[in-house]
Amino acid sequence: MKRRSAACAAAALLLQSLAGGAGAATGHVSHGNLTWTLVDLDPADGIAPSLRFLPPPAGPLGAARAYVSAFAGGALHEDNVMATGSDPLLAELDYSPAAHTSARVDGRADPATLSLSLDTVATLEPNGASATAWLHGGTLPFVLSANTGVTFHSTVLLQGERGSEPGIYDAWLASGTLTVSLDGLAPGGSMFTDYVAVTLSPSPGDPVAVDFTRELTVDYSNRTGASLTGDVALLAIGTTAIAPVPEPGMLPMALAGLALVGWTIRRRS
C-alpha cells in the first residue's frame, strides 16, 4: 500500500497547489457476473470437462481488500479495509460535499455472484478535491480437469461525468480487470489478464461523460492428462479529481500526477 498511498498523496499535493470556483466530477465502476464455459479437448479420454472452485485461502490472499482515499479541506484521508471468508466488504470515506468515496464487495459465498462496486465524487473547493478507490474481490482458487479448455467472462460497467465549466480542471480515471493465474507453468507465462480502462479529462476530444459496459474474457487450454490448479480474481479502480485551472505550466504537472495515480494502482493490481 505504500507506493499507492504515495501516488495519491502526490496527486493531492498537486491539487492543493491550485487555487477556487464550482463544479463536480463523479464516477462509478461495477464489476461482476463471473461466468465460465468449458470445452472438451479430447473426447476420447473419457474425462468429463469440469471446473471446481475451492474455498478461498486463509489470510490476506483470499480476502477481499479495499483502499479508499479522499482529499478534502487541504488534507488527504485514507483507509484500508479487508474482509475474510464470505463476509461482504464496505469501505467508505465521506467528506461531503468536497469528496466522497465508497467501495463494496458482495456475493462472496459463490464466485458466480461475486460483485464489486465503487463510487467516487469530488466537488470543487479552494484547495481542490479528489476521491480514489481500489478494490480486489479476493482470490478464487479452482481446479480445472485434464484436457479441458476454459473461458472466463466478467462484465464491467463504467459510468463517469465531469463538469464543463470554464476555469475548472476535473478528471476521472477508472478500470476493471479480470486476472487468471495458473500453477505449475513457466515463470512469466502463468498469468493471463483482460481489462478495460477509461479516462475523462479536459484534454481536447475527451468526452464530458461516459456510460458503457464491456465484457472481459480470459481463456486457457489445459492440454495435459492431469488436472490444473489456479485462481481467478476481479479488480476495480476509480479516481476522481477536481481543481481550479492552474497557472500556465501547472496543468501538465497535474495531468502527470493523475497519470501517476492510475499507473501505480494498475501496477499494484
Side-chain angles (χ1 to χ4, degrees), residues 198-268:
V198 65
T199 301
L200 293 180
S201 77
S203 301
D206 268 15
V208 174
V210 295
D211 184 349
F212 69 95
T213 302
R214 180 73 54 83
E215 181 179 274
L216 306 183
T217 303
V218 173
D219 55 56
Y220 182 79
S221 296
N222 177 20
R223 298 184 179 276
T224 71
S227 59
L228 184 70
T229 59
D231 57 72
V232 60
L234 305 184
L235 299 94
I237 296 170
T239 297
T240 303
I242 188 167
V245 171
E247 295 298 322
M250 284 296 293
L251 183 55
M253 291 181 61
L255 288 170
L258 286 170
L260 175 64
V261 173
W263 177 81
T264 302
I265 53 184
R266 166 77 180 129
R267 285 198 62 191
R268 294 288 290 175

Side-chain angles (χ1 to χ4, degrees), residues 31-38 111-112 150-156 178 180 194 214-219 232 234:
H31 190 183
N33 192 30
L34 180 66
T35 60
W36 51 93
T37 55
L38 303 176
V150 59
T151 301
F152 290 98
H153 310 267
S154 65
T155 303
V156 178
L178 169 64
V180 176
D194 191 14
R214 180 73 54 83
E215 181 179 274
L216 306 183
T217 303
V218 173
D219 55 56
V232 60
L234 305 184

